[in-house]
Each structure stands twice: as C-alpha cells, then as structure tokens.
Amino acid sequence: MEGDECSFPPDSSDDHSLRGSVASSATLSRAQDVLVYLFGDSAVHLTLEGLGTVTVQELGRNVREALHTPESVQDVFAFWLCSPLLELQLKTRHQPYKLCRQWHDLLYRFTEASEEDISQDEPCLQYRRSVFYPKSKELQIQEEGVLRLLYEEARSNILTGRYPCDPEHWTSLGALSIALDEGTSLDSQQFTTTIREKKLSSYLPAHVTMGSGGLFSTLRGKSSRQVGLEQNLFKEYSKICTSAGSSPTQLLHQYLNTCHTLPYYGCAFFFGEIDKPAQGILQRGKRKAVNIGICLEGVYVMDVKEKHVLLGLRFSELSWDHSYPEEEGDSHILWLEFDGDEDGTPVNKLLKIYSKQAELMSGFIEFCVELKSASEGAAAADMDGEVSLSQQPGGQAERSKNGRGGRRGMLHRQGSVVCSRVQSLNTISYVDDGKEIKRLKPKRAASFFARQASAVSYSAVQTESLEQG
C-alpha cells in the first residue's frame, strides 16, 4: 500500500530489467479504452487520449463525472493498483500506465511470489476508499451514490473476512444488506426463499457459512447451522423493518456506522508472517500467515486463517522499526514494540513480522503518525488553546486512564475476535535495561516505563522518494 504522500522507498539494486521504462508510442497518443473497477462487480468504462501521461488527478475527474459524484467528495476515494499479490494506493501525481509497466519489478521487490506467479500477475485499476479519509467525516456524506461505493467496499471486506467481526456484527450487517438488496417488506417465507436462492455467503462471511471442522462434521452440521443462521438473520431483518429509519441512505449509514466500530475499518493491508509459539522441539521454526492493517489510528495484526485479531495497538502504544536482511536467506522484518508483563513484572515486548513489505509498512506508519499529529495540532489550535485529554503531551491522556504511559487497560471482551491475543504471540520480552536484546533495539518515542511529559517524538524512518515517471 502506498499513501498519498508516502513514496516508494528507493531500490539500490541494479539487477532489475527495464520493464518499468515506457517507450513513447504513437498508439498512446490516440484514444484508448480504460476500465476502472469498483467494488460490487462493476466498472467505469472510459476512453482517454494520451493514456501514457494521464495522471491520477486527471483520471479522478473523469471517473467522478462518469459516476455523477460531486467534486466535494474527491478526497473520499483514491485510485489503487491491485492484484492478489500486492495493493498500492496511488498519489495524485502518479501515472497509472507507467506504474502498470513497472508492476513486475514492484512484485519482485515487495512480495515473495515465485517468478511464474509474478509473470502471470496483472494489476487492475480500482477506485476505492482512501486510507487517509477520516471516519468522522464519512457519516456526514449524504449522496447515496457515494455511500453505495463505500458500502460495497466495506461489505466485500466483511464477507471475505478481511474485517474480522463478532456474530452480533456480521448478523446485523447481513440483515442490513438484505434490506438494501430486497427492501424491507419480505415476510418470513419470502425471506427464506430469497436467502436460499442467493445463498448465505452473499450476506455472511465465508468462514461463517462454511463452518469449521472436518468434512464429516461439516456435512452433518451444515443443515442445522444454516437454519440457525437464517433465523438469526430474519430476527435482525425484522428489527430493521420495524424501525423508524429504513430509507436507503439511512440503511447505508447504519451499515457504515456498524463497520466503524471495527478499529481496522479503512486500513491499508499488507501481507506477512510471524513466528508460531514453540510447542516442543519439533514445532520450532514454524510461521503463521498474517494480515497487517494500518490506518490513521494504529496497527492491527490479524490471523489470516482464524479471522481474528492477534494484536491491535494505537500509535501511542507502540514503537517500531524495520530491518533489512543481513545475509542471504534472511527476511525483511518489521519490529513492533509494546508494553506487556511476565508474571506481573512489566516488560517490553517485541513482535517480529517477516515481510518484504516491511519498509513500506514502516514508512506508512511514520506518515500516518505525522498526519495524525498534524490534524490533532490543528484541532487543538481551533479550541483556542484548550488542551483535551487526547492531546496532552507525552501520552498524558493514557496515563490518566491507565496509570502508566501508553499502558493499555484490561480488555473487557476477551472472547471477541476484535480483542488482542497477546498470549498467543511468540514475542521477545525484555526488561527496561534491554540486556536480553543485543541484536536490535527499535527506535522508540521514549521509554515505555518513564515517558516524560513532553511532546512525543515518534521513530523516524528516513525514506527517499522514487518518482514514478
């Protein structure tokens, strides 16, 4: 993922091909057809001249005109280059055609994909939510067409399990989707018929409708589980039908508002692996696939298989760094440091995330921290000098609530998929003197046990801009 102001870090290697170069061609100056994909299995068909030099900013004007959306919502969406291997949000100055020509080089650099997979991979140009658009502004939008685009993207992330959620969430969201698709006047029989025609997977996450366990248990329990899911959906649907507000705009707002309760809503996602906890001599050295979501609020590490959060940290609760491979066969690593305890003793914990996208993630975290700090500074200025708890220096707000800088309170819902599962992570623990960590100490805002009442200075990762064309 690449932010609007966060540039691709430079690559010092010289062994790449010239696939990224774009030769001038008379064909590029003529009118060319372009498909810009949207969530919900739809696309915008454009015919553009000079495709090789068209920027994201120019493309945005064409798409908004085609979708009849006002210029006032231009910051809501961004253009992304996406494939199963990599997702990048483009800057307004980027030229999508040139980046497409560089795609294979980007895959070699930022993914572990095989040469065969890379050679067959092609990106599509998507118009979707910008990571940098605040959730607080989203519910102020009244244009149904814009809300529909946000809804379709959120719905896709719920159904695919990219946004882990609890039963009360996915049941409510599924019922809202049915109301949006079919209206609010279905009786019980019509509801059941509709669900079975379109399948539960159209409204509930795939891992929920498929269930868990072996083949025998799946076949044996499929019928009863499906009936139970249908009944729960109908109960929620009935509540929606009898509520005062059931216009499309109100239903879309309800759906998005429910999604906003998920802390990783609107995140950019990266791919990585973490060490599994050792379970004996034969179980050492194994890794677990994870998705890493990063947004304006913090960082979230999610189990790809189990569809739950392993670790969620606000920026005030972590320090970070990335390291490059020291020897052939080593991995790029993103290091996350956070508070923990061992048998009641306060310790610092380090989580290693193995990923060729570690440098991208580190640079993106830095940019989000700076952006959030700037927005909070502007908000403080607007309050005529009144300092809110959330903006007091040195994480004072957190100390007021929890008694210690950056220290998180007890989790109230340990069974929720949204809650962190620190106990299931294989982390490196060390005390304040750091004697147990010799190889690497992450750059940090301050000691996690002795933060000063001064402005927090986050770890700075210096990256140079790589101009795309």
Side-chain angles (χ1 to χ4, degrees):
M1 151 65 215
E2 252 327 274
D4 189 56
E5 296 297 335
C6 182
S7 299
F8 295 115
D11 190 358
S12 58
S13 63
D14 296 323
D15 57 352
H16 286 261
S17 70
L18 297 179
R19 280 189 296 268
S21 63
V22 180
S24 60
S25 170
T27 58
L28 294 181
S29 63
R30 297 199 298 263
Q32 300 283 320
D33 290 335
V34 177
L35 281 179
V36 179
Y37 290 89
L38 311 173
F39 279 93
D41 298 325
S42 61
V44 178
H45 184 189
L46 301 175
T47 302
L48 302 173
E49 294 184 356
L51 179 61
T53 58
V54 170
T55 65
V56 164
Q57 190 170 17
E58 296 170 292
L59 200 57
R61 285 194 292 267
N62 285 276
V63 170
R64 287 191 295 273
E65 183 179 340
L67 294 174
H68 306 292
T69 56
E71 290 293 317
S72 59
V73 297
Q74 61 178 311
D75 293 337
V76 180
F77 300 102
F79 287 91
W80 295 64
L81 283 180
C82 300
S83 81
L85 301 180
L86 186 64
E87 299 180 359
L88 299 175
Q89 179 175 320
L90 307 185
K91 305 176 185 180
T92 54
R93 72 170 186 270
H94 276 149
Q95 298 171 344
Y97 176 80
K98 293 185 178 182
L99 283 177
C100 284
R101 292 292 300 271
Q102 292 178 308
W103 190 249
H104 287 173
D105 288 328
L106 293 171
L107 294 181
Y108 276 113
R109 185 174 171 196
F110 295 123
T111 75
E112 301 283 359
S114 66
E115 284 199 33
E116 181 180 359
D117 288 340
I118 288 175
S119 66
Q120 295 177 359
D121 191 72
E122 291 185 4
C124 68
L125 186 63
Q126 275 192 327
Y127 189 63
R128 52 193 264 198
R129 190 186 190 279
S130 170
V131 176
F132 305 114
Y133 193 73
K135 288 190 290 187
S136 59
K137 291 185 177 181
E138 198 171 273
L139 292 180
Q140 299 174 17
I141 299 171
Q142 296 300 322
E143 293 84 358
E144 184 179 336
V146 176
L147 292 172
R148 282 269 177 190
L149 292 174
L150 293 169
Y151 158 74
E152 291 290 356
E153 180 174 348
R155 179 182 182 179
S156 174
N157 286 328
I158 292 292
L159 295 182
T160 58
R162 175 168 271 193
Y163 290 168
C165 54
D166 293 316
E168 61 265 31
H169 288 132
W170 46 251
T171 302
S172 173
L173 294 172
L176 285 166
S177 289
I178 296 169
L180 283 162
D181 289 353
E182 306 297 332
T184 56
S185 59
L186 299 179
D187 59 27
S188 177
Q189 185 60 45
Q190 292 171 328
F191 182 90
T192 302
T193 301
T194 299
I195 289 293
R196 293 183 178 177
E197 286 178 351
K198 293 194 172 183
K199 297 184 178 180
L200 276 171
S201 57
S202 298
Y203 302 108
L204 298 178
H207 66 280
V208 173
T209 59
M210 291 296 293
S212 59
L215 176 62
F216 178 73
S217 62
T218 298
L219 292 175
R220 182 181 59 185
K222 183 176 180 180
S223 178
S224 59
R225 182 174 64 251
Q226 178 166 319
V227 170
L229 292 172
E230 289 175 358
Q231 291 174 345
N232 291 336
L233 274 176
F234 184 69
K235 288 178 184 177
E236 286 297 319
Y237 175 80
S238 299
K239 293 177 184 178
I240 295 169
C241 296
T242 56
S243 64
S246 57
S247 69
T249 299
Q250 290 170 319
L251 294 175
L252 291 167
H253 274 144
Q254 286 183 54
Y255 194 100
L256 293 174
N257 195 37
T258 302
C259 288
H260 288 184
T261 63
L262 305 174
Y264 30 80
Y265 173 81
C267 276
F269 285 90
F270 303 83
F271 308 110
E273 293 181 325
I274 60 174
D275 292 315
K276 287 185 175 182
Q279 297 178 342
I281 297 177
L282 299 179
Q283 295 294 322
R284 295 181 183 273
K286 292 190 175 182
R287 294 180 183 176
K288 175 184 296 188
V290 293
N291 284 331
I292 303 95
I294 303 173
C295 64
L296 292 175
E297 304 301 323
V299 180
Y300 303 89
V301 182
M302 289 166 266
D303 191 312
V304 170
K305 181 180 178 182
E306 300 298 333
K307 309 298 182 187
H308 60 218
V309 175
L310 294 169
L311 180 67
L313 297 169
R314 294 187 295 272
F315 290 129
S316 60
E317 299 171 316
L318 67 87
S319 294
W320 81 97
D321 202 352
H322 75 278
S323 58
Y324 297 95
E326 295 181 353
E327 299 178 0
E328 186 175 353
D330 287 351
S331 301
H332 295 259
I333 296 174
L334 177 72
W335 300 82
L336 298 181
E337 181 191 44
F338 57 98
D339 282 350
D341 65 80
E342 294 288 343
D343 299 324
T345 301
V347 297
N348 283 18
K349 286 183 175 288
L350 276 175
L351 178 66
K352 296 168 64 176
I353 301 176
Y354 305 92
S355 174
K356 288 188 76 172
Q357 298 174 16
E359 189 175 5
L360 280 178
M361 288 188 276
S362 181
F364 186 59
I365 291 172
E366 181 183 8
F367 178 70
C368 285
V369 166
E370 292 174 352
L371 193 63
K372 184 174 177 62
S373 297
S375 64
E376 289 180 347
D382 291 340
M383 295 174 66
D384 297 324
E386 180 181 349
V387 181
S388 67
L389 277 175
S390 63
Q391 294 163 353
Q392 290 178 18
Q396 189 172 333
E398 294 302 320
R399 285 196 298 273
S400 300
K401 295 178 185 177
N402 304 319
R404 197 155 65 82
R407 185 73 174 172
R408 285 149 57 90
M410 294 297 293
L411 297 175
H412 297 294
R413 300 177 60 223
Q414 296 293 336
S416 170
V417 299
V418 179
C419 293
S420 296
R421 289 163 169 75
V422 178
Q423 72 280 0
S424 67
L425 296 174
N426 186 1
T427 58
I428 302 170
S429 298
Y430 66 99
V431 292
D432 197 32
D433 59 14
K435 290 181 179 179
E436 297 179 29
I437 302 293
K438 296 181 179 180
R439 180 180 176 188
L440 179 143
K441 284 187 181 180
K443 301 170 186 175
R444 61 177 69 187
S447 168
F448 276 75
F449 306 105
R451 280 200 175 108
Q452 301 299 317
S454 60
V456 175
S457 58
Y458 294 88
S459 61
V461 180
Q462 300 297 325
T463 58
E464 301 176 11
S465 297
L466 175 63
E467 294 295 332
Q468 304 298 336

